[in-house]
Amino acid sequence: MTHVPQLATPLDRQNERLASVAGPRAAASSFGRRVRGGDIGSLPVVIGLLFIAVIFQVMSSAFLSPANLVNIAGDCVAVGVIAVGLIPVLLTGQIDLSVGSMSGVGSTLLGVGLVVHGWPAWEAMGAALAAGLAVGLVYGVVFVRFGVPSFVVTLAGLLSLLGLQLKLLGTNGSVNIPFGSSVVRFTQQMYLPRPASYGIAALAALGYLGTALARNRRRRAASLGTRPLAGDIARAVALLAGLLFACWYLNRDRGIPASFALLVVLVVVLHYLLTRTRWGRAVFAVGGSVEGARRAGLKVSRVYLSVFVICSFLAALGGLLAAGRLATASISSGVGDTNLEAIAAAVIGGTSLFGGRGGAYSALLGIIVIQSIASGLTLLNLDSSVRYIITGGVLMVAVIVDSLARRSRASHGRG
């Protein structure tokens, strides 16, 4: 789990040098110390996802079939994109309760623009995304200038956006989007070509290796310990093998949905912004301590403005993808459990509600967990009530784990 880096002590450097030459046993011991110290990363959610896969596969042999996994990937996209937008807001210790309503307005603007007003697809999508930017900017300005809690600002926005959605849809209450439109084709019919999927997998493994080598160079320049080259190569090879197998397995059916590839790209881009840019370090700093960030000379107001704008923009994009997936925009678009699922995905994936800890991959892992539960229960012919109960339980466990990890970090002096 990504967090604000701390200065290494001479003892830390000595331990890292020893770990770099002592082999797997020392590496395992170092990992154990990090876990005991509260730095658990994405370990709980990965274990939970494996547990879910095993249980549902035992109960229904179709769960891990290529066709069902392709369906899960496609179903992850809309709420997953909304959850990605929530990550920066949660990292600053704030919340946006209106992401579901914003996605509903986005889908409504698409449907009304295409069908009622006859706009080209790019104009309708542009209007939806522009609305997302405007709403996020309003939230940021109200929060920064007037000090209104983000909970209240976005709750008011939720109600206002819901009213706007009802006004746009009018008495009909729904608009059917043509199946020939580009949005519907993208979300329902487009899959990555098989050679392209294997090529992307290879590029991902090479990118991981390149990142690891660059990290070692930076640590050597700072006189810090580095990981053995053989270990980085072994991890890159294992990643390549896993990705190639996943591509091969999904390609036995329709392949990897293009919309899911878009979700992964958004996750990777946000991960880079959070971990490799000044803006990302500022986001973590604000989430860790607002007053400390101000004293360090950071533009806290700009950070808050940026995270609210990003959140609303991606919520509108999620609404476009949801409208394409369902080929309709209606009064039910974005309401109900969309808000809860997006927030739950980020938290279940490992982003702290207390701010300052988490990462872009939290959204991806969390939404895969939620959609896997939904898919498994559907295969077992269980109704939505069971799904809500289980998802709520998983969310509660995730928050408890985060709270315990936070206490452990505090007791070890990591904050």
Side-chain angles (χ1 to χ4, degrees):
M1 196 176 291
T2 308
H3 58 88
V4 179
Q6 299 178 356
L7 295 177
T9 66
L11 181 59
D12 292 332
R13 297 190 184 100
Q14 181 182 359
N15 290 337
E16 287 169 347
R17 291 192 186 99
L18 291 174
S20 67
V21 298
R25 182 178 298 178
S29 177
S30 177
F31 175 76
R33 287 194 299 272
R34 292 198 305 270
V35 171
R36 289 191 297 272
D39 191 8
I40 56 178
S42 299
L43 180 63
V45 68
V46 172
I47 294 175
L49 187 58
L50 293 175
F51 180 76
I52 290 170
V54 171
I55 292 298
F56 281 126
Q57 180 64 20
V58 170
M59 300 179 71
S60 174
S61 59
F63 181 76
L64 291 179
S65 66
N68 191 55
L69 293 182
V70 170
N71 288 335
I72 290 175
D75 292 338
C76 284
V77 176
V79 178
V81 169
I82 299 172
V84 170
L86 272 167
I87 297 296
V89 173
L90 293 176
L91 288 176
T92 60
Q94 303 303 322
I95 190 68
D96 187 342
L97 297 177
S98 69
V99 288
S101 296
M102 186 66 249
S103 71
V105 170
S107 63
T108 299
L109 286 172
L110 174 67
V112 171
L114 284 175
V115 178
V116 178
H117 299 294
W119 296 346
W122 66 269
E123 285 189 10
M125 291 187 288
L129 297 177
L133 289 173
V135 169
L137 185 60
V138 170
Y139 289 165
V141 169
V142 173
F143 176 77
V144 169
R145 294 292 298 274
F146 302 103
V148 181
S150 58
F151 178 91
V152 177
V153 175
T154 57
L155 180 60
L158 181 155
L159 298 173
S160 300
L161 291 171
L162 180 58
L164 176 61
Q165 181 179 354
L166 295 175
K167 180 67 174 179
L168 291 173
L169 287 170
T171 55
N172 291 331
S174 66
V175 176
N176 294 324
I177 301 174
F179 283 96
S181 65
S182 56
V183 178
V184 175
R185 292 200 310 270
F186 177 74
T187 53
Q188 293 188 12
Q189 303 170 18
M190 291 184 63
Y191 298 87
L192 293 182
R194 294 186 179 184
S197 64
Y198 296 129
I200 293 173
L203 287 175
L206 288 174
Y208 171 82
L209 181 59
T211 301
L213 295 177
R215 176 180 181 273
N216 280 345
R217 285 196 299 270
R218 290 193 301 270
R219 293 183 68 84
R220 278 195 298 268
S223 300
L224 297 174
T226 60
R227 295 187 303 196
L229 177 61
D232 287 332
I233 294 176
R235 282 185 284 271
V237 171
L239 176 63
L240 176 62
L243 291 176
L244 290 177
F245 174 78
C247 292
W248 169 79
Y249 193 68
L250 294 179
N251 284 334
R252 293 178 59 188
D253 190 67
R254 289 154 290 173
I256 301 173
S259 56
F260 184 77
L262 173 62
L263 171 60
V264 174
V265 168
L266 290 174
V267 169
V268 172
V269 170
L270 181 61
H271 175 75
Y272 175 82
L273 292 175
L274 289 173
T275 59
R276 294 290 184 267
T277 67
R278 183 178 300 177
W279 172 80
R281 291 189 290 271
V283 168
F284 281 103
V286 171
S289 173
V290 177
E291 187 59 31
R294 284 198 180 96
R295 292 181 178 181
L298 298 178
K299 303 294 185 182
V300 174
S301 297
R302 294 181 183 178
V303 173
Y304 282 132
L305 283 171
S306 65
V307 298
F308 280 114
V309 168
I310 290 172
C311 183
S312 290
F313 176 82
L314 290 181
L317 178 59
L320 296 179
L321 295 170
R325 182 75 174 170
L326 300 174
T328 187
S330 67
I331 57 175
S332 63
S333 298
V335 300
D337 56 359
T338 303
N339 267 339
L340 302 180
E341 284 191 352
I343 297 172
V347 176
I348 290 172
T351 295
S352 175
L353 285 172
F354 302 103
R357 297 188 68 87
Y361 288 101
S362 300
L364 183 60
L365 290 172
I367 194 58
I368 290 175
V369 168
I370 290 175
Q371 290 301 331
S372 295
I373 293 173
S375 175
L377 295 178
T378 299
L379 291 175
L380 297 176
N381 293 320
L382 297 176
D383 58 29
S384 297
S385 61
V386 180
R387 172 191 170 192
Y388 289 133
I389 293 172
I390 294 177
T391 303
V394 172
L395 176 61
M396 179 61 69
V397 170
V399 175
I400 291 174
V401 169
D402 176 49
S403 298
L404 294 176
R406 191 165 174 260
R407 291 182 186 177
S408 181
R409 290 193 299 271
S411 65
H412 285 75
R414 296 186 179 188

